[in-house]
Amino acid sequence: MAKPTGRITRGTTGVNRLRRVDRWIAAQPAARVPGCLVVDLGYGASATTSLELHERLARGNPTVEVLGLEIDPERVALATAELAAAREAGPTRYGRAIAADARVSFALGGFEVPAPRPPHVIRAMNVLRQYDEAEVAGHWATMLARLAPGGLLVEGTSNEVGRVCSWVALDAAGPRSLTIALKVDELGSDAMEAPSVVAERLPKALIHRNVPGERVHALLTELDRAWASHAPLADFGAVQRWQATARRMRDTGWPVLGTAARWRLGELTVAWEAVAPRA
């Protein structure tokens, strides 16, 4: 087997850290193809995120298969052992039942995505954050080349507890959208003063572009302004306030994608051209 493409990174992980991006992926057509293969690239120090991904996707697509890939052989061995233990323990392990025939496995691999067949979805969260910005486009291209027709690459970053998260969705033509996902009922707290808290968790392609003159900086500035303008709605709850914020962003000309059903989850998705780095 050829040496995996990439380098070993910190590998931190945690229960429920990727719940926001998982539920977004679960709603995408690529994740609902019967028997589709979903790759969890760089799942980290344990099997947790891959098992959670399978559980969430299987609710809407019982035939989904999840393959966790890691560049560190020790992590692959550990995750494989954890999977076996979870199947034996049933619902007492990770708080969920892992059926003996659940289609989850782990293997050695990196950005070259060595999979038994082209995956319909590749999720690469908290991986490229630890690389240089100049490396991003090349690794995107490598992963995109492995996708099945109509496939989706989801690449982004979350904080350690999953309350602040963002990701880029890409298809064969390249990046198509940026999604911000927040635990909006914590906005206004010391930890999350305003929506622009996501600046610290932007995907690598954007995190250094949050400066005046760049599109993503304009997005976050306007998002904070819209959130502040709807402060009177706080009495009706953070979700109502966030929905009004998203509606204002759309109504003032930002290319907001999706419906109010996604806004209720604390998400805001915009077309990539609205945030793409300037040359």
Side-chain angles (χ1 to χ4, degrees):
M1 177 180 175
K3 182 180 179 181
T5 303
R7 53 184 178 269
I8 297 174
T9 53
R10 289 190 298 273
T12 53
T13 190
V15 173
N16 270 336
R17 183 180 186 181
L18 301 182
R19 60 193 179 278
R20 299 183 189 282
V21 66
D22 286 356
R23 69 186 177 194
W24 186 88
I25 292 172
Q28 304 308 306
R32 292 182 170 270
V33 174
C36 71
L37 174 63
V38 177
V39 168
D40 185 11
L41 183 69
Y43 57 82
S46 79
T48 301
T49 63
S50 297
L51 296 180
E52 290 176 339
L53 178 61
H54 182 270
E55 178 199 20
R56 290 163 183 152
L57 298 187
R59 293 169 189 164
N61 183 359
T63 62
V64 67
E65 178 179 351
V66 171
L67 171 64
L69 292 178
E70 255 296 344
I71 201 168
D72 183 350
E74 292 185 5
R75 291 177 186 169
V76 176
L78 176 61
T80 301
E82 288 179 339
L83 173 62
R87 282 176 167 151
E88 182 177 353
T92 63
R93 185 75 177 216
Y94 301 110
R96 59 184 58 82
I98 304 297
D101 59 350
R103 303 174 72 184
V104 183
S105 60
F106 297 92
L108 188 68
F111 295 117
E112 79 286 0
V113 192
R117 62 186 186 279
H120 288 82
V121 179
I122 299 172
R123 186 190 71 179
M125 292 295 294
N126 300 304
V127 176
L128 285 175
R129 177 179 176 82
Q130 301 175 62
Y131 285 73
D132 294 331
E133 182 181 353
E135 299 177 273
V136 171
H139 291 315
W140 277 358
T142 299
M143 291 184 283
L144 288 171
R146 294 290 294 127
L147 286 173
L152 185 68
L153 167 62
V154 180
E155 186 272 309
T157 305
S158 71
N159 71 350
E160 288 75 9
V161 292
R163 295 172 183 172
V164 180
C165 194
S166 70
W167 57 86
V168 181
L170 307 94
D171 58 20
R176 74 184 200 196
S177 66
L178 170 72
T179 298
I180 293 167
L182 306 171
K183 193 174 191 301
V184 294
D185 60 2
E186 292 191 3
L187 284 174
S189 67
D190 291 341
M192 294 176 63
E193 293 182 4
S196 60
V197 68
V198 77
E200 300 174 356
R201 301 292 172 172
L202 287 171
K204 192 67 178 189
L206 296 175
I207 195 167
H208 300 303
R209 302 297 181 131
N210 185 34
V211 294
E214 287 284 352
R215 296 182 180 95
V216 72
H217 181 269
L219 173 73
L220 297 186
T221 299
E222 186 59 31
L223 187 58
D224 278 358
R225 186 177 294 122
W227 174 255
S229 73
H230 289 292
L233 290 178
D235 290 343
F236 298 96
V239 172
Q240 291 292 328
R241 186 177 175 186
W242 181 257
Q243 287 182 288
T245 297
R247 190 174 299 109
R248 172 170 174 154
M249 295 293 288
R250 182 196 62 192
D251 292 347
T252 55
W254 288 92
V256 175
L257 307 177
T259 66
R262 305 308 307 181
W263 304 345
R264 284 196 294 271
L265 299 174
E267 295 176 7
L268 181 74
T269 299
V270 298
W272 178 252
E273 58 264 25
V275 295
R278 296 189 184 278

